[in-house]
């Protein structure tokens, strides 16, 4: 089976401006990502690991165009990649109902009647193991795990082929984590998805992913199949992370 | 329906501010609405036979120096004051939302400049500034509304701006952007409902300030022009005859106080209700 790439990153450099203000017109430009290159193929679940603040989320934001100050090539082979955010508490608009939130991507895309949208959302609620009851609920009435299910459902409602998951289970306790990971695996199979899965938890990455990228201070120090990297780490930083995770 | 009335009861329960504020405001509003169709006497008709008459069964609150029925004038005057205040708050609120949302959402140099302009305007006492401008442009109901409306913009713009600056980078706005929502849609559909918690109290407080500002300006003789009555201009008339017709000043003052008190309590009650919901 020939592997179709869904995302190709070549020599990506990303910068942040710090200290931008009216008085200091000479803003400092800090390089956050250094020469990042990798490919996500169709059906891959690529794990991106590294400690907090190493640039994992910045990489996600660069891919999606939220961060604009980038150099290098980002080739997206799919339309409208979506993202599921880490913090389920700020990822759902508190002023809206779950139904409204999940319908919004369809409303923006257009071409569906309100009944069709409602039907699509109710199906998706079922798909992410929630019920039709949740349609009229407000975000604050849901638990963390339920919110994350809503986020996942909202990201998938327009049927993207590639989804970035930014620490989707980090804020959840372990039993809920396992449920969400199982759901993600099922959804991947059913919808033919590819994921870029960002996490600082190497055990979770091992459970879910087939490939892994190890990032340190904005650089990818090691990448490869999960089995290879975990059994035979080449870079000292990877070894360090693995030891820390086992302990 | 049953659950709705239950929810209402829960909304009011233990929230005396909200309840009393609601009752006072409803009573004042009812009086104002009635005044548009009916007043006990024609508020501008002079009854020379009954000048400065004390409260009686015919004239409940007595008559003024020209023999006009005070109750009728208060009803009409409260209506005028109310309408002016509503227009002022509407201008301030709508323009404030537009300016504040654009500044807060987009940021940048335009934001920095507009914020400084707003700060500069708020640095002057609003009434003083209004007095200066009105004495240049001339009085009259329309001018009062426009000038006060403009002076009320910064207070709203500031509140709205800070809410937008807070929401701008939240995940749910970020994901709305990823879905391809336009800035216009994000500003008015996604973020605006989230500013209501701070906007509603601001509107009630703004309304109170507008009532006071209008009353002060009419009291100083640069607001509503006679023979039309507003609570402020009536208070000025009453002042001259304070000794002969104290009931005129007292009843007018009470009307102003009730109008403001009702809205203050309503605002306080709404904030309490919002806090409780969280």
């Amino acid at each position: 089976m020939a592997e179709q790439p869904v995302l190709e990153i070549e020599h990506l450099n990303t910068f942040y401006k710090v200290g931008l203000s009216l008085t200091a017109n000479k803003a400092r430009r800090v390089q956050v990502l250094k020469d990042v290159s990798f490919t996500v193929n169709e059906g891959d679940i690529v794990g991106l690991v590294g400690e907090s603040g190493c640039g994992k989320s910045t990489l996600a934001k660069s891919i999606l165009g939220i961060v604009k100050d980038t150099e290098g090539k980002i080739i997206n082979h799919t339309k409208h990649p979506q993202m599921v955010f880490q913090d389920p508490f700020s990822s759902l608009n508190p002023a809206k109902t779950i139904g409204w939130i999940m319908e919004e991507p369809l409303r923006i895309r257009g071409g569906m009647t309100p009944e069709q949208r409602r039907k699509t959302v109710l199906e998706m609620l079922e798909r992410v193991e929630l019920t039709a009851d949740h349609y009229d609920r407000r975000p604050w009435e849901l638990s963390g795990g339920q919110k994350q299910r809503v986020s996942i459902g909202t990201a998938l409602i327009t049927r993207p082929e590639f989804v970035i998951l930014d620490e989707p289970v980090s804020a959840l306790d372990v039993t809920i984590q396992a449920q969400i990971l199982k759901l993600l695996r099922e959804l991947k199979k059913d919808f033919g998805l590819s994921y870029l899965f960002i996490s600082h938890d190497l055990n979770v990455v091992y459970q879910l992913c087939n490939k892994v990228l190890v990032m340190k201070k904005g650089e990818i120090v090691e990448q490869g199949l999960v089995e290879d990297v975990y059994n035979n780490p080449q870079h000292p930083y990877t070894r360090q992370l693995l030891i820390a995770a086992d302990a | 329906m049953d659950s709705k009335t239950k929810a209402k009861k829960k909304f009011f329960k233990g929230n005396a501010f909200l309840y009393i504020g609601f009752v006072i405001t409803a009573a004042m509003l009812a009086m104002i609405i009635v005044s548009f169709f009916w007043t006990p006497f024609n508020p501008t008709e002079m009854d020379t036979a009954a000048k400065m008459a004390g409260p009686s069964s015919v004239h409940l609150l007595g008559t003024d120096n020209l023999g006009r029925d005070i109750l009728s004038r208060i009803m009409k005057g409260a209506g005028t004051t109310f309408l002016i205040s509503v227009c002022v708050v509407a201008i301030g609120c709508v323009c404030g939302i537009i300016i504040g949302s654009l500044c807060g959402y987009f940021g940048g140099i335009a934001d920095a400049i507009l914020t400084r302009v707003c700060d500069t305007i708020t640095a002057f006492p609003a009434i003083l500034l209004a007095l200066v401008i009105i004495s240049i442009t001339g009085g009259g109901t329309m001018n009062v509304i426009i000038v006060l409306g403009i002076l009320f913009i910064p207070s709203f713009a500031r509140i709205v701006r800070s809410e937008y600056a807070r929401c701008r980078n939240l995940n749910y706005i970020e994901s709305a952007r990823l879905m391809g929502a336009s800035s216009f849609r994000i500003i008015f559909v996604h973020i605006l409902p989230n500013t209501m918690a701070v906007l509603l109290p601001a509107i009630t407080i703004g309304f109170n300030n507008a009532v006071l500002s209008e009353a002060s300006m009419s009291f100083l003789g640069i607001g509503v022009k006679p023979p039309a009555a507003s609570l402020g201009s009536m208070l000025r008339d009453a002042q001259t005859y304070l000794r002969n017709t104290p009931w005129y000043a007292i009843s007018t003052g009470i009307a102003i106080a009730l109008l403001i008190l009702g809205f203050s309590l309503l605002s306080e009650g709404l904030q309490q209700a919002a806090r409780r919901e969280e």
Side-chain angles (χ1 to χ4, degrees):
Chain A
M1 189 173 88
E3 292 202 317
Q4 283 289 103
V6 290
L7 175 76
E8 290 173 89
I9 306 286
E10 285 170 28
H11 307 294
L12 175 71
N13 293 298
T14 296
F15 305 88
Y16 273 154
K17 281 199 175 68
V18 268
L20 180 69
S21 78
L22 276 181
T23 46
N25 50 8
K26 230 183 145 188
R28 263 189 335 131
R29 193 159 171 253
V30 173
Q31 184 159 16
V32 185
L33 296 181
K34 290 166 202 144
D35 198 27
V36 172
S37 299
F38 66 91
T39 307
V40 178
N41 289 322
E42 206 180 297
D44 270 350
I45 304 184
V46 177
L48 174 61
V49 296
E51 56 193 14
S52 326
C54 72
K56 291 174 301 198
S57 293
T58 305
L59 177 58
K61 288 179 179 173
S62 306
I63 294 168
L64 295 168
I66 298 172
V67 176
K68 298 211 168 58
D69 192 1
T70 57
E71 288 167 5
K73 265 191 200 158
I74 302 170
I75 308 163
N76 235 322
H77 293 278
T78 62
K79 279 181 216 153
H80 306 302
Q82 287 299 319
M83 180 154 170
V84 174
F85 290 90
Q86 170 175 15
D87 178 13
F89 298 93
S90 69
S91 55
L92 302 176
N93 194 333
K96 306 288 184 184
T97 63
I98 300 303
W100 191 95
I101 291 168
M102 291 183 74
E103 276 183 23
E104 181 65 358
L106 301 172
R107 222 175 282 127
I108 291 167
R109 193 181 59 181
M112 279 174 110
T113 63
E115 292 78 45
Q116 284 174 319
R117 284 201 298 262
R118 192 185 155 87
K119 198 165 153 273
T120 313
V121 166
L122 289 176
E123 281 168 10
M124 184 56 82
L125 276 173
E126 203 128 304
R127 198 62 209 71
V128 295
E129 290 157 12
L130 295 170
T131 61
D133 287 346
H134 292 97
Y135 187 88
D136 292 314
R137 299 269 191 92
R138 303 264 172 180
W140 70 76
E141 299 173 56
L142 304 188
S143 68
Q146 289 173 326
K147 278 183 195 168
Q148 207 54 293
R149 287 173 195 274
V150 171
S151 295
I152 293 168
T154 312
L156 295 182
I157 200 112
T158 50
R159 297 296 162 91
E161 292 159 68
F162 175 55
V163 180
I164 298 179
L165 306 158
D166 187 359
E167 307 251 16
V169 295
S170 305
L172 308 173
D173 58 44
V174 182
T175 47
I176 312 290
Q177 267 192 13
Q179 291 172 14
I180 299 282
L181 290 177
K182 180 168 158 274
L183 176 70
L184 286 172
R185 230 176 273 128
E186 288 169 7
L187 291 171
K188 173 195 176 275
K189 214 190 292 164
D190 295 356
F191 292 156
L193 293 165
S194 311
Y195 296 140
L196 176 62
F197 183 86
I198 302 174
S199 179
H200 62 261
D201 187 337
L202 274 80
N203 293 319
V204 168
V205 169
Y206 188 77
Q207 287 174 48
L208 188 73
C209 305
N210 65 329
K211 284 182 187 165
V212 64
L213 311 164
V214 182
M215 185 174 256
K216 186 193 181 190
K217 289 182 181 163
E219 282 178 276
I220 290 180
V221 293
E222 184 160 1
Q223 57 177 304
L225 295 174
V226 166
E227 288 79 22
D228 297 344
V229 174
Y230 275 60
N231 295 328
N232 189 15
Q234 299 300 311
H235 196 275
Y237 181 68
T238 315
R239 260 175 249 145
Q240 213 181 312
L241 280 180
L242 283 168
I243 291 167
D246 275 342
Chain B
M1 206 184 92
D2 190 33
S3 69
K4 242 184 194 171
T5 43
K6 237 184 215 166
K8 244 185 212 161
K9 260 188 194 154
K10 205 179 134 204
F11 192 61
F12 280 118
K13 199 184 160 199
N15 198 336
F17 284 143
L18 190 64
Y19 191 72
I20 298 170
F22 182 78
V23 169
I24 295 177
T25 307
M28 291 304 282
L29 277 181
M31 189 188 88
I32 287 164
I33 291 167
V34 168
S35 79
F36 291 134
F37 306 104
W38 176 84
T39 49
F41 288 86
N42 182 345
T44 51
E45 192 187 82
M46 302 170 202
D47 181 358
T48 40
K51 275 185 194 170
M52 298 194 200
S56 65
S57 56
V58 185
H59 298 286
L60 278 179
L61 297 174
T63 59
D64 69 357
N65 55 310
L66 298 172
R68 297 176 293 196
D69 180 53
I70 290 175
L71 178 61
S72 309
R73 284 183 70 73
I74 284 181
M75 287 171 77
K76 266 277 185 260
T80 314
T81 300
F82 181 80
L83 279 186
I84 291 175
S85 304
V86 166
C87 293
V88 165
V89 171
I91 292 173
C93 189
V94 169
C95 298
I97 286 175
I98 293 170
I99 293 173
S101 61
L102 294 178
C103 282
Y105 186 71
F106 291 110
I109 290 175
D111 170 38
I113 293 170
L114 276 169
T115 309
R116 296 301 170 275
V117 171
C118 285
D119 286 348
T120 313
I121 293 177
T122 27
F124 294 99
I127 291 184
L128 185 71
L129 210 54
L131 288 178
V132 173
I133 299 174
I134 291 286
S135 44
I136 297 168
T137 58
T141 310
M142 221 36 207
N143 277 354
V144 170
I145 290 175
I146 293 169
V147 169
L148 281 181
I150 292 171
L151 288 175
F152 272 56
I153 294 173
S155 62
F156 287 105
R158 218 197 244 176
I159 291 167
V160 172
R161 195 204 89 95
S162 67
E163 280 299 290
Y164 273 78
R166 182 177 67 82
C167 291
R168 174 173 63 185
N169 291 321
L170 289 180
N171 285 343
Y172 62 85
I173 299 306
E174 211 73 277
S175 56
R177 247 176 250 141
L178 279 181
M179 292 167 198
S182 62
S183 296
F184 181 84
R185 191 171 175 83
I186 290 176
I187 288 175
F188 292 108
V189 180
H190 288 255
I191 305 184
L192 191 59
N194 285 298
T195 63
M196 283 307 153
V198 295
L199 206 53
L200 281 180
I203 287 173
T204 48
I205 292 167
F207 178 82
N208 285 347
N209 287 337
V211 170
L212 277 182
S213 305
E214 188 282 322
S216 322
M217 288 169 76
S218 297
F219 183 77
L220 292 167
I222 53 170
V224 174
K225 288 194 171 137
S230 86
L231 294 177
S233 64
M234 286 164 61
L235 209 51
R236 185 194 52 197
D237 294 345
Q239 173 198 232
T240 323
Y241 305 98
L242 200 54
R243 215 169 267 235
N244 305 325
T245 57
W247 51 86
Y248 193 6
I250 290 170
S251 48
T252 311
I254 287 175
I256 295 177
L258 280 181
L259 204 55
I260 289 176
L261 187 68
F263 264 86
S264 297
L265 292 175
L266 204 58
S267 150
E268 184 60 36
L270 280 175
Q271 284 181 64
Q272 271 188 11
R275 269 199 296 275
R276 217 181 315 165
E277 203 157 89
E278 273 166 21

